[in-house]
Amino acid sequence: MREAYHDQLGQLAGQLADMCAMAGEAMEHATRALLGADLALAEQVIGDDTKIDDLRSGIEEQAYALLALQAPVATDLRIVLAVIHAAESVERMGDLALHVAKAARRRHPNHVLAETVEPYFAEMGRIAVELAREATDIIRTQDVARARSLEDADDAMDDLHRHLFTVIMDKEWAHGVPSAVDTTLLGRFYERFADHAVSVAKRTVFVVTGRMPGYGGSTDEA
Amino acid sequence: MREAYHDQLGQLAGQLADMCAMAGEAMEHATRALLGADLALAEQVIGDDTKIDDLRSGIEEQAYALLALQAPVATDLRIVLAVIHAAESVERMGDLALHVAKAARRRHPNHVLAETVEPYFAEMGRIAVELAREATDIIRTQDVARARSLEDADDAMDDLHRHLFTVIMDKEWAHGVPSAVDTTLLGRFYERFADHAVSVAKRTVFVVTGRMPGYGGSTDEA
């Protein structure tokens, strides 16, 4: 019985990793759709989002069943709770990729972004996908040291995001208000995606160490 | 022992309700600071945000302790998990109020918003605060019927948010790009605040009925 239970726990973490990989792929495709005004790719991301949502429902259901039937304690309990939290964050990552794809679809056949800001989004997209990939690997490997290095990538994202705003807000901005509005929202989607990826990784650190890094209170187990 | 445990569970829900009330108050003050260019009030919201974060840490810590020590099942388990989830959403609500207050501080002594859009924000602020209040009451009363009525207020928020975009995107927009960017982000903060309030209420419905309303998969307890 206990062995079957540990199998279930491993399966749950594996599904979370798969889900995180899917969210990363969604953002990769959404970014390509955005930069290339690729309608087919945008539609694909939009259509596939329910798969991520379904995975999340499945993970949560299994996690609740595990808690109810097995009443895990200590590290096992932490893993189940971390998985529930992380699945919520990964679903949001999928939603944010969906928002990017929808922006590409809304403006098609036009490009959403002015050429001036496209390089920012190419780079923010690259970092977002890298963060999702790192978070996926960290769930699989439980490598705490790597989770900490994610913060650097997240800082790079924040810098890009801040710099993007100075470009939009500059008097030289010649692309009009609608383009500024789209660019503002898209920038925020990438930044939030990165935040969620880091939060997923932090939850994994919590499982391993019992402490949330950069988190107000102690969350030691009683 | 079991009685002490039910006291703890009730306390936990009570703290969550207090936290939700604080987030609502933060948004009320932030909106007043935004519309009145009130620096002192903005600073107060900014300073008080850590109180909400601390409450969240405390709630999560107690919830984890309850799970580890008491291994609750059935409805009790659902309550603890719903509280953990909801506390995360309410912390985000506090963060969003904080973002609004920071925008008011950043542009002070100027007003952030053009006069044309101020009525939208007055109304979005009113709905946001109402939603937080309703969610607070629902946590306290466990009144499922009320939770469903929240959806209407959330729809009203979405309508306002959509209409706001048509105003910003209109050719007649005479307030420049920086103001459009601020308005875009602020609109999104209110809309997300409402989404989180609804999500908190839905979690409460889940506790009472065992089913998440408007949620993909079944989350019946195994």
Side-chain angles (χ1 to χ4, degrees), chain A residues 56 61 84-85 88 215 218, chain B residues 56 61 84-85 88 218:
Chain A
R56 188 293 176 80
E61 208 174 323
I84 292 173
H85 269 296
E88 187 160 12
Y215 198 71
S218 149
Chain B
R56 191 264 170 106
E61 208 172 325
I84 292 174
H85 269 295
E88 187 160 13
S218 148

Side-chain angles (χ1 to χ4, degrees), chain A residues 135-221:
Chain A
T136 304
D137 286 352
I138 288 162
I139 297 164
R140 292 218 168 96
T141 61
Q142 306 274 307
D143 186 341
V144 171
R146 270 176 87 175
R148 277 171 192 149
S149 80
L150 250 80
E151 304 266 1
D152 294 337
D154 189 42
D155 287 346
M157 177 68 91
D158 289 343
D159 283 347
L160 276 164
H161 189 232
R162 250 191 308 274
H163 199 219
L164 177 67
F165 273 96
T166 66
V167 174
I168 308 172
M169 297 288 211
D170 195 282
K171 278 177 201 147
E172 308 287 310
W173 178 263
H175 313 287
V177 167
S179 172
V181 168
D182 279 344
T183 309
T184 299
L185 284 177
L186 285 163
R188 180 135 183 101
F189 297 153
Y190 282 90
E191 188 240 341
R192 292 296 300 150
F193 185 99
D195 285 347
H196 283 291
V198 171
S199 146
V200 168
K202 277 187 179 174
R203 290 272 164 201
T204 305
V205 175
F206 173 66
V207 168
V208 178
T209 66
R211 280 186 177 276
M212 279 291 281
Y215 198 71
S218 149
T219 33
D220 279 342
E221 237 171 25

Side-chain angles (χ1 to χ4, degrees), chain A residues 86-108:
Chain A
E88 187 160 12
S89 289
V90 177
E91 188 184 12
R92 276 304 295 159
M93 288 162 68
D95 288 343
L96 292 161
L98 175 71
H99 291 341
V100 172
K102 281 187 172 171
R105 182 172 71 177
R106 193 161 47 238
R107 300 287 174 241
H108 184 83

Side-chain angles (χ1 to χ4, degrees), chain A residues 53-54 56-57 60-61 64-65 67-69 71-74 77-78 81-82 84-85 88-89 91-92 96 99 107 165 168-170 173 176-182 184-185 188-189 192 199 203 206 212 215-222, chain B residues 53-54 56-57 60-61 64-65 67-69 71-74 77-78 81-82 84-85 88-89 91-92 96 99 107 165 168-170 173 176-182 184-185 188-189 192 199 203 206 212 215-222:
Chain A
D53 296 347
D54 289 348
R56 188 293 176 80
S57 300
E60 198 164 305
E61 208 174 323
Y64 279 38
L67 288 173
L69 294 174
V73 293
L77 172 63
R78 284 211 300 254
L81 293 174
I84 292 173
H85 269 296
E88 187 160 12
S89 289
E91 188 184 12
R92 276 304 295 159
L96 292 161
H99 291 341
R107 300 287 174 241
F165 273 96
I168 308 172
M169 297 288 211
D170 195 282
W173 178 263
V177 167
S179 172
V181 168
D182 279 344
T184 299
L185 284 177
R188 180 135 183 101
F189 297 153
R192 292 296 300 150
S199 146
R203 290 272 164 201
F206 173 66
M212 279 291 281
Y215 198 71
S218 149
T219 33
D220 279 342
E221 237 171 25
Chain B
D53 296 346
D54 289 348
R56 191 264 170 106
S57 300
E60 197 163 305
E61 208 172 325
Y64 279 38
L67 287 173
L69 294 174
V73 292
L77 173 63
R78 284 213 300 255
L81 294 173
I84 292 174
H85 269 295
E88 187 160 13
S89 288
E91 188 184 11
R92 276 304 295 159
L96 291 161
H99 290 340
R107 301 285 175 240
F165 272 96
I168 307 172
M169 296 290 211
D170 195 283
W173 179 263
V177 166
S179 172
V181 168
D182 279 343
T184 299
L185 285 177
R188 180 136 184 100
F189 297 153
R192 293 295 301 150
S199 145
R203 289 272 165 202
F206 173 67
M212 278 292 280
Y215 199 71
S218 148
T219 33
D220 282 340
E221 235 171 28

Side-chain angles (χ1 to χ4, degrees), chain B residues 2-15:
Chain B
R2 299 306 287 178
E3 202 166 313
Y5 155 62
H6 274 108
D7 280 356
Q8 284 174 307
L9 210 54
Q11 268 174 29
L12 208 56
Q15 283 176 46

